[in-house]
Amino acid sequence: MTDPTSSFRPTTVVVTGAAGFIGSNLVRWLLAHESELQVIAYDLLTYAGNLESLGDVERAHGPDGDGRYAFIQGDIRDGRLVGDLLAGRLREPRTGSVLAPPDAVLHLAAESHVDRSILGPAAFVSTNVEGTLVLLEGVRHELAARPRPFRFVNVSTDEVYGSLGADDAPFTEQHALRPNSPYSASKAGADCLVRAYVETFGLPCLTTRCSNNYGPYQFPEKLIPLMVTRALADEPLPVFGDGQNVRDWLHVEDHASAIWAVCTRGELRDETYNIGGESEVRNLDVVHTILDALGKPQSLIRFVPDRLGHDRRYAMDITRVRTSLAWEPRREFREGLASTVAWYVENREWWRRVQSEAYRATNALYLGSAAS
């Protein structure tokens, strides 16, 4: 197990993709659990980025709160802006105060919806591969100019490993990369760039590969929020194929704690850590549970043609992160799903404001032609 006395303790972190689902939950978790930490949220605010997801964070930790949080709107492909961010040349938009140069980047910014990647692969390559390259180059030049202890954590996905058979052992970090969609291929490309920058330039990078996340503030084009919001409106629930695809479900707050464990205690020589919830559930069973929780009829389910290249099963072996970092998931899936469904019931105004884009995509992709 890693010696806690040798832990890396950043004082200022940048979270890219901070207004997205995992990013906003990570920002909130960091500020709640690290009382001295400064967090710079960086996001382009595309369709899946929503500043309302950070409204409570802004009030508690922005300029009118304890001052530990700042938001910068920007593109990870903007090399000049990324360079200014890393060098500490940017100012907090409201107060004008100079933001400290970070000593860690938690990189979550990505195009992430598999179905959209099938319709338009180029955007995924541009953001996920080119954007990661720009960030890596920015870190490389910044550390050459101003050397300091630093960590770059690349947050990736189990989908880079491809698909498992029903009786296959879970993915380990030694599994070959066998991506089956443009999305997962673009994430695998980013992972390979990160590894190359470690080997070629000695950059202090780590990669995490997570299983399917769920929890509050998830854009309602993904499976769980899509099913909840449509069921609440008594609308058809599109389920791919036979619904027997299996996913390993990880609560987003558990994921946040794992990212921080890897950032602060991860060994650079290990490079990659699998993060999973150890909760394998069939998609159709997830939908049945949601309908039962909402008191809605199972007849709302509509089976639709299967996704192209649809991976049958994902499962993660988390032995490395459990034994070396003493991390393991805390949220049991059934309880976590119940609390997530309740969150969407109680926060209708949040998802109704982003519903039009999610439903436009849903109708175009599934109901007139279904979510990872």
Side-chain angles (χ1 to χ4, degrees):
M1 187 176 296
T2 301
D3 179 0
T5 62
S6 64
S7 295
F8 171 71
R9 305 304 300 181
T11 58
T12 301
V13 303
V14 168
V15 177
T16 70
F21 164 48
I22 300 175
S24 61
N25 279 283
L26 175 60
V27 168
R28 184 176 293 101
W29 188 94
L30 290 171
L31 289 164
H33 289 82
E34 297 292 329
S35 60
E36 303 300 318
L37 189 67
Q38 302 284 324
V39 177
I40 303 173
Y42 188 88
D43 199 294
L44 184 57
L45 297 180
T46 58
Y47 78 92
N50 185 355
L51 271 182
E52 289 188 36
S53 301
L54 291 166
D56 59 325
V57 172
E58 172 70 28
R59 290 187 292 274
H61 303 291
D64 296 331
D66 63 19
R68 295 193 294 125
Y69 164 83
F71 178 81
I72 299 294
Q73 184 173 355
D75 192 333
I76 57 171
R77 295 165 295 186
D78 185 338
R80 178 173 295 182
L81 187 59
V82 166
D84 288 342
L85 174 68
L86 295 171
R89 291 192 291 263
L90 295 184
R91 296 179 179 272
E92 201 285 325
R94 286 176 54 191
T95 66
S97 59
V98 177
L99 298 174
D103 39 17
V105 171
L106 309 180
H107 174 37
L108 291 85
E111 296 280 354
S112 65
H113 191 39
V114 174
D115 305 315
R116 289 178 185 262
S117 80
I118 294 170
L119 294 178
F124 285 71
V125 173
S126 179
T127 297
N128 299 354
V129 180
E130 181 186 349
T132 301
L133 175 62
V134 171
L135 287 171
L136 290 168
E137 277 291 277
V139 171
R140 181 166 76 93
H141 290 297
E142 172 62 20
L143 295 185
R146 285 166 287 276
R148 58 186 183 272
F150 200 95
R151 293 291 185 274
F152 181 96
V153 180
N154 169 51
V155 178
S156 188
T157 171
D158 56 2
E159 296 189 42
V160 300
Y161 294 125
S163 184
L164 289 170
D167 299 321
D168 291 341
F171 296 124
T172 71
E173 291 85 354
Q174 285 71 46
H175 267 76
L177 304 187
R178 297 175 60 87
N180 291 323
S181 71
Y183 161 64
S184 57
S186 69
K187 292 296 288 185
D191 291 5
C192 290
L193 277 174
V194 172
R195 174 175 169 77
Y197 270 67
V198 171
E199 295 297 323
T200 304
F201 303 113
L203 251 59
C205 301
L206 295 154
T207 289
T208 62
R209 293 182 179 138
C210 69
S211 59
N212 276 43
N213 278 222
Y214 71 100
Y217 298 103
Q218 188 170 28
F219 192 74
E221 67 183 359
K222 298 298 181 77
L223 179 67
I224 290 174
L226 178 67
M227 298 300 154
V228 173
T229 56
R230 294 189 70 90
L232 287 170
D234 296 309
E235 295 175 334
L237 309 188
V239 175
F240 281 132
D242 60 5
Q244 300 303 304
N245 303 73
V246 174
R247 298 295 180 258
D248 174 14
W249 291 96
L250 172 68
H251 194 277
V252 68
E253 292 179 3
D254 281 338
H255 189 197
S257 69
I259 292 170
W260 192 238
V262 171
C263 178
T264 56
R265 305 197 303 276
E267 294 287 346
L268 294 175
R269 66 175 178 268
D270 287 338
E271 295 183 13
T272 302
Y273 291 86
N274 283 352
I275 311 296
E278 297 188 319
S279 297
E280 290 187 57
V281 186
R282 297 180 304 171
N283 285 351
L284 187 58
D285 291 337
V286 173
V287 179
H288 285 317
T289 301
I290 290 170
L291 288 170
D292 287 344
L294 295 173
K296 298 291 184 176
Q298 303 295 326
S299 59
L300 287 176
I301 294 172
R302 179 180 297 178
F303 292 100
V304 300
D306 208 357
R307 168 196 291 162
L308 297 174
H310 197 184
D311 293 333
R312 193 63 170 173
R313 172 176 170 247
Y314 304 137
M316 297 293 260
D317 183 326
I318 62 171
T319 299
R320 172 178 285 179
V321 71
R322 174 178 277 131
T323 57
S324 65
L325 303 185
W327 179 91
E328 60 184 10
R330 296 179 178 271
R331 300 292 290 271
E332 188 273 329
F333 180 63
R334 183 166 289 273
E335 180 275 326
L337 180 59
S339 66
T340 298
V341 171
W343 187 90
Y344 282 94
V345 171
E346 295 163 6
N347 289 273
R348 299 180 192 226
E349 290 307 309
W350 178 88
W351 55 262
R352 279 174 175 160
R353 282 192 280 270
V354 298
Q355 189 178 40
S356 59
E357 169 58 23
Y359 276 28
R360 183 200 64 76
T362 298
N363 288 326
L365 289 164
Y366 322 132
L367 297 170
S369 73
S372 171

